Amino acid sequence: MVVKYCHVLHESKIRTTGNLYRIAFSCIQRTPDRGGYPPMRHLMIKGIRQTRLETARFDIGAACVGMLATLPQAVAYGLIAFYPLGPQWASFGISASIGSAILFGIISGMFGVNPFLVSGPRAVTALVLASAIQIAITRGSSAGDAIVIAFVAVLAAGIFQFVAGLLRLGNAASYIPAPVLSGFVNASALLVLINTLPTALGSLTPDITAIFEPDENSILFFAIAISLTTISFQFIAARTIRFVPAAIVGLVAGTAIYYIGVSIFPLANAPLIGAIEFSEIWRMPILIKTTPVWNELSPNIDIVITSALTIGLLSSFDTVISSRAIDARTARHSDVNAELRLHGLLNILMGFIGFLPGSGTMSRSVAILDAGARSRTANWASSLTLALSLLIFAPLVAALPIWATAGMVIAIAIQAIDQPTFIKLSKLVTGKFPYPRVIVGDVLISLFVVAIALLFNLASAVCVGVLVSVILFVLGMSKNPVRRTYLGSRIHAHRQRKVAIVECLEKEGHRIAVLELQGALFFGSCSRLRSTVSRCLETGIDYLILDFRHVTSIDSTGSEALRAIHQQCLDGGKHLFLSSIQPERRLSPNKQRSEPSSSSSPDQRDHRLKPRWIWLNLDANGVIKAVGKENFFAETDAALAHCEELLLRRFCDKPDRGIHRVFAKSLLLNGMTRDQITTLGHKAQRQRFKKGDLVFQQDDTCNRAYFLIYGRMDVVINVPGTGRQKRINTITEGTLFGEVALLDGAPRSATIVATTDALCLSLDGTDFAALRQDHQDIVTRLLLNLNRILASRLRQANMMISELEQ
Ligand SMILES: Nc1ncnc2c1ncn2[C@@H]1O[C@@H]2COP(=O)(O)O[C@H]2[C@H]1O
């Protein structure tokens, strides 16, 4: 392996190592994105169709940029991996790295699930290999044995990745919150900037503080001029030139300035990429070339296992997160598990033939996307071009000044910064956003991830970011799960009741409390639930209804809290009821797994049911047994009605079955003399209904009004578009129904069904007209009372609305 650059490296000691390392680190971490649409999506959105020629032109341009982004990285990673073995292994390392960039890149580019995910060697995995070799050498292994140990670890890492893909562990990355991903992208971009800046400013040491030293070697104005030219041309080209990738325009401009500078003016020489000989890259696989000393493996198995796990985890993480970020950018969705399986197989291959392990890279992927990649051709062609460039373009590539490549990397890093986070941050700082609480959490998490990444490393930053997000989420969800509390004195069950009963409910209804719960009942929210319930019970509540309508989930701690609340009620002689919970839920037709057969009727379809998680959890944790199934209600209204009945039994007179007593207590007949009531009774028609009978149906056209003497009727309406019906009220004895159609002559506004055996008196329009002729006084009184009934219903409805809106 001949790398001219390596000669410079050895000759000038660390002079160029610093540059290479800086380039390497800068490029690794570039994990860009988004400030605008990549050209491809932009064209897709505009609906512009391209010819194959145009697509190929963009892909080839993008491949060239990808190759230029890969080359310096690959050289640097090779040097990193074999650094502990000394300079004589440098060319070996570079060939192992470039070989991986070519072979891994071509195969994953061709067969990878994500067409724009460019894969190849990475700095982190190169560092793990270096430390494995270092430990083996310290324990007394020879260089060859240390290399064997390292590549067995690569092979095992490949198996690990393949198995992780089979077990679909890649999906775990979906749980990375957006602010963490944004912080990851920004941290990567900043790391690129920080690591590349010294090179772009001509500093010869890798330490960024060196650029502030007034040493003439630290800041070369010539270097700054070259990198600034590259950056500016790249930015201008990104906005103005469509045909050539902006990165190449910048690179050409920066290189031109360099050669003009060194040929016309006696300006400083820059380190160049240097010549690389292709013939040295392909060599015998490492396991064949070096004599494998298997005996060496057993005492060093710990190195193999830890390195394999670390490489496997880091590679998988890089691949999955890069694939997700590329997906977000290109509006696609790739199967990361399939990607992991392919990467696993390729890393097994890399381990066998002694090439560096590979994983998905954001930097190179974004480089080809920003350069206008249209298809996966740009991906594999960038690796192929790398191979070709070593043969054909070697002189051109060799002549590129490092300062210009540093400028190119900086420009890509700046474009990669996640703009939405910075927009949010600037809005927070300038106070332009009216509700800062909405975005402050996201911005803080994002900044936190960036800070950890800069202080430690990206992997820890993402882990800590996810942890902080989870903690913030739990705290956010730990708010009081009681969204509203109302008393039975203000809100009654939907029952048409006699005045005396309504009065009784208004007087004693404060003994009934409904607590509307919301969100998740879990370990984070249970203590607040318990304290709210305790406070509520202390106010003299006898009947407590917990409404689960807005509860999304429950865990065992939530169930335990319910059992404790039930015990608390028992101890205090109170009654607990749970509403809006059912064992099963009806599946909407489009969620049903199997399509109903053509023979199945709509009714049959409606009855497909699925067990409810909340019910199952309550059952599993013994809540249903403790509270008693009879105390669970499908609707809160039913639970409220049940509590009202219990209350009425305690505090109100027994229901009165005598017909005249019913009449006397009815609001409709209020103020009538006994004679008037008797006359009305003679004019009216008596009708008996059996339990389940249909009195009339919604939309029927008839104008008969009914007075319920005893029994109970449900008022039911059709729910439009579902074929289902819903009970909205219950009529009890002494109340009127069917009056609406009599008054306005329109079809029935609801269906009335007898829920018990019932007796009614009824009058139709004709009876009413006859009554008006002979007994005007009765009709006037009836109409007056009817007005009062309607007015009181309106007031009650208003009170309920105001109560529920609180
Ligand atoms: N929301 C409601 N609450 C109580 N009763 C109702 C309600 N809606 C309709 N009704 C009764 O149901 C009857 C259906 O027939 P009508 O429209 O003639 O008269 C209606 C009322 O008497």
Side-chain angles (χ1 to χ4, degrees):
M1 168 99 228
V2 179
V3 178
K4 191 173 149 195
Y5 199 64
C6 285
H7 294 305
V8 181
L9 178 123
H10 296 147
E11 280 158 23
S12 62
K13 310 240 163 74
I14 58 164
R15 179 182 140 92
T16 43
T17 316
N19 286 330
L20 276 175
Y21 275 49
R22 282 194 297 279
I23 294 286
F25 279 106
S26 63
C27 293
I28 34 165
Q29 311 284 21
R30 283 186 314 120
T31 314
D33 188 326
R34 330 228 161 13
Y37 294 116
M40 178 193 62
R41 195 154 65 142
H42 185 61
L43 289 176
M44 273 161 44
I45 288 167
K46 280 182 150 183
I48 296 172
R49 292 191 57 151
Q50 295 165 61
T51 61
R52 279 188 180 186
L53 204 66
E54 277 178 319
T55 307
R57 197 186 64 214
F58 275 105
D59 281 340
I60 289 168
C64 291
V65 172
M67 177 273 286
L68 286 174
T70 308
L71 185 61
Q73 294 179 42
V75 172
Y77 302 159
L79 289 172
I80 292 170
F82 294 90
Y83 182 74
L85 296 178
Q88 66 275 23
W89 287 90
S91 62
F92 181 89
I94 291 170
S95 71
S97 183
I98 288 185
S100 167
I102 295 171
L103 194 62
F104 203 113
I106 291 176
I107 300 178
S108 67
M110 281 181 169
F111 303 107
V113 182
N114 192 329
F116 299 106
L117 181 71
V118 181
S119 300
R122 301 292 314 262
V124 269
T125 42
L127 278 169
V128 178
L129 270 195
S131 75
I133 291 173
Q134 178 74 60
I135 300 171
I137 294 285
T138 323
R139 287 186 187 174
S141 298
S142 68
D145 297 340
I147 289 173
V148 170
I149 289 167
F151 281 107
V152 169
V154 173
L155 197 146
I159 296 171
F160 171 88
Q161 264 185 303
F162 184 73
V163 174
L166 281 184
L167 298 177
R168 309 196 68 74
L169 296 181
N171 292 339
S174 317
Y175 297 105
I176 295 175
V180 177
L181 213 53
S182 161
F184 173 84
V185 169
N186 286 334
S188 308
L190 281 177
L191 282 169
V192 172
L193 276 178
I194 291 169
N195 289 311
T196 318
L197 214 54
T199 310
L201 296 181
S203 168
L204 300 179
T205 65
D207 182 6
I208 192 163
T209 54
I211 62 175
F212 300 112
E213 287 168 12
D215 175 357
E216 62 169 345
N217 281 337
S218 298
I219 301 174
L220 288 181
F221 287 104
F222 187 36
I224 297 173
I226 291 169
S227 35
L228 271 186
T229 308
T230 311
I231 294 170
S232 332
F233 270 78
Q234 194 162 330
F235 273 113
I236 295 167
R239 288 172 190 277
T240 52
I241 302 175
R242 265 193 61 206
F243 310 103
V244 188
I248 290 192
V249 175
L251 216 48
V252 169
T255 308
I257 294 290
Y258 170 72
Y259 283 106
I260 291 169
V262 289
S263 54
I264 301 178
F265 313 101
L267 290 172
N269 279 332
L272 305 178
I273 290 277
I276 299 165
E277 265 190 34
F278 186 66
S279 59
E280 288 287 322
I281 290 181
W282 186 255
R283 60 208 154 76
M284 292 297 284
I286 187 74
L287 294 182
I288 299 169
K289 189 179 173 187
T290 63
T291 325
V293 188
W294 296 108
N295 292 345
E296 279 294 321
L297 268 183
S298 50
N300 291 310
I301 199 74
D302 56 327
I303 307 179
V304 174
I305 291 172
T306 49
S307 307
L309 280 178
T310 319
I311 293 172
L313 274 173
L314 287 172
S315 302
S316 306
F317 182 79
D318 259 355
T319 304
V320 170
I321 204 166
S322 304
S323 181
R324 283 269 182 263
I326 298 285
D327 275 351
R329 205 184 147 123
T330 52
R332 302 170 48 86
H333 182 79
S334 313
D335 178 359
V336 286
N337 293 302
E339 201 78 72
L340 276 189
R341 291 195 291 272
L342 177 69
H343 278 66
L345 287 177
L346 284 176
N347 274 334
I348 294 173
L349 179 68
M350 296 296 112
F352 265 119
I353 61 177
F355 283 173
L356 292 200
S359 57
T361 68
M362 267 306 281
S363 57
R364 286 171 245 162
S365 308
V366 169
I368 66 161
L369 275 175
D370 279 350
R374 298 285 187 269
S375 70
R376 66 167 68 244
T377 308
N379 187 346
W380 57 262
S382 69
S383 301
L384 190 66
T385 324
L386 180 61
L388 293 178
S389 70
L390 298 179
L391 288 173
I392 305 164
F393 304 117
L396 279 181
V397 174
L400 286 176
I402 291 285
W403 296 334
T405 56
M408 177 190 85
V409 169
I410 286 180
I412 292 178
I414 293 173
Q415 286 163 344
I417 285 173
D418 186 39
Q419 288 180 2
T421 306
F422 279 85
I423 293 169
K424 281 184 196 167
L425 184 63
S426 69
K427 277 185 180 170
L428 272 186
V429 173
T430 54
K432 278 190 188 152
F433 196 71
Y435 305 105
R437 278 187 65 186
V438 179
I439 53 172
V440 74
D442 285 359
V443 173
L444 282 182
I445 290 177
S446 217
L447 292 179
F448 186 65
V449 171
V450 171
I452 300 272
L454 296 185
L455 288 175
F456 302 99
N457 58 54
L458 273 173
S460 338
V462 171
C463 293
V464 175
V466 171
L467 200 70
V468 172
S469 304
V470 169
I471 292 171
L472 288 182
F473 175 77
V474 170
L475 289 179
M477 295 302 288
S478 307
K479 61 182 185 206
N480 197 339
V482 180
R483 73 197 283 258
R484 194 202 328 263
T485 304
Y486 54 84
L487 299 180
S489 52
R490 304 274 295 165
I491 291 189
H492 309 316
H494 295 142
R495 299 269 186 280
Q496 296 296 327
R497 297 187 190 274
K498 286 183 286 189
V499 184
I501 290 183
V502 174
E503 280 170 359
C504 178
L505 287 179
E506 278 169 5
K507 189 162 160 248
E508 303 293 342
H510 63 271
R511 296 168 194 277
I512 304 172
V514 180
L515 265 62
E516 271 186 21
L517 308 184
Q518 64 179 355
L521 294 189
F522 71 119
F523 57 89
S525 59
C526 284
S527 74
R528 296 215 190 176
L529 172 67
R530 291 213 49 196
S531 55
T532 310
V533 167
S534 297
R535 274 199 309 276
C536 183
L537 292 176
E538 279 163 17
T539 60
I541 299 298
D542 289 335
Y543 306 96
L544 178 67
I545 301 171
L546 298 181
D547 180 354
F548 272 64
R549 185 166 176 190
H550 299 280
V551 173
T552 50
S553 62
I554 189 166
D555 70 355
S556 54
T557 319
S559 290
E560 204 48 55
L562 289 179
R563 279 165 57 117
I565 290 171
H566 176 248
Q567 193 55 47
Q568 191 179 355
C569 288
L570 280 186
D571 295 346
K574 303 172 192 275
H575 303 269
L576 175 68
F577 303 94
L578 277 72
S579 68
S580 306
I581 306 185
Q582 291 183 76
E584 285 149 340
R585 71 184 167 89
R586 202 189 305 262
L587 278 184
S588 65
N590 54 357
K591 287 204 178 146
Q592 291 173 9
R593 280 206 185 141
S594 57
E595 279 300 311
S597 67
S598 51
S599 60
S600 61
S601 71
D603 283 353
Q604 281 170 312
R605 277 206 302 269
D606 280 346
H607 280 88
R608 301 210 170 192
L609 301 170
K610 194 182 171 204
R612 270 189 192 276
W613 169 257
I614 295 180
W615 182 272
L616 293 179
N617 192 296
L618 293 179
D619 197 17
N621 288 294
V623 179
I624 294 172
K625 195 166 169 223
V627 176
K629 224 174 188 169
E630 66 285 0
N631 293 322
F632 282 78
F633 291 85
E635 290 178 5
T636 302
D637 188 60
L640 193 55
H642 181 71
C643 292
E644 285 175 354
E645 292 302 328
L646 296 176
L647 193 74
L648 292 171
R649 261 184 240 161
R650 275 173 68 192
F651 295 100
C652 291
D653 296 340
K654 292 245 161 12
D656 204 339
R657 298 242 171 251
I659 191 163
H660 281 285
R661 300 285 296 273
V662 173
F663 282 172
K665 289 192 174 178
S666 160
L667 195 57
L668 180 71
L669 308 175
N670 189 29
M672 286 193 188
T673 63
R674 207 179 168 88
D675 287 348
Q676 283 175 323
I677 294 175
T678 310
T679 310
L680 192 61
H682 286 145
K683 293 278 174 198
Q685 190 183 321
R686 268 173 180 255
Q687 277 184 274
R688 283 184 189 279
F689 296 96
K690 287 250 171 270
K691 180 179 175 184
D693 278 356
L694 203 66
V695 181
F696 52 75
Q697 272 191 309
Q698 185 172 339
D699 296 328
D700 279 358
T701 47
C702 70
N703 60 357
R704 182 170 288 275
Y706 298 79
F707 182 80
L708 187 60
I709 293 172
Y710 72 78
R712 192 171 284 186
M713 304 275 180
D714 270 355
V715 183
V716 177
I717 53 163
N718 303 329
V719 183
T722 63
R724 287 192 291 124
Q725 294 196 311
K726 179 162 174 55
R727 183 194 71 83
I728 54 167
N729 216 314
T730 298
I731 294 159
T732 56
E733 58 195 32
T735 52
L736 182 72
F737 66 92
E739 76 290 359
V740 177
L742 182 68
L743 287 173
D744 66 8
R748 294 293 188 188
S749 59
T751 299
I752 303 287
V753 187
T755 50
T756 61
D757 290 350
L759 173 66
C760 294
L761 288 179
S762 68
L763 283 174
D764 67 6
T766 324
D767 302 332
F768 205 70
L771 197 66
R772 191 162 27 195
Q773 247 182 3
D774 304 337
H775 302 280
Q776 185 60 44
D777 54 331
I778 296 181
V779 173
T780 310
R781 176 51 68 181
L782 271 180
L783 288 175
L784 193 70
N785 288 346
L786 204 54
N787 280 342
R788 284 197 182 140
I789 291 172
L790 294 176
S792 95
R793 279 188 197 165
L794 186 69
R795 278 182 190 284
Q796 209 175 354
N798 286 351
M799 194 171 78
M800 274 199 186
I801 291 169
S802 69
E803 194 73 22
L804 294 175
E805 284 301 314
Q806 271 175 26

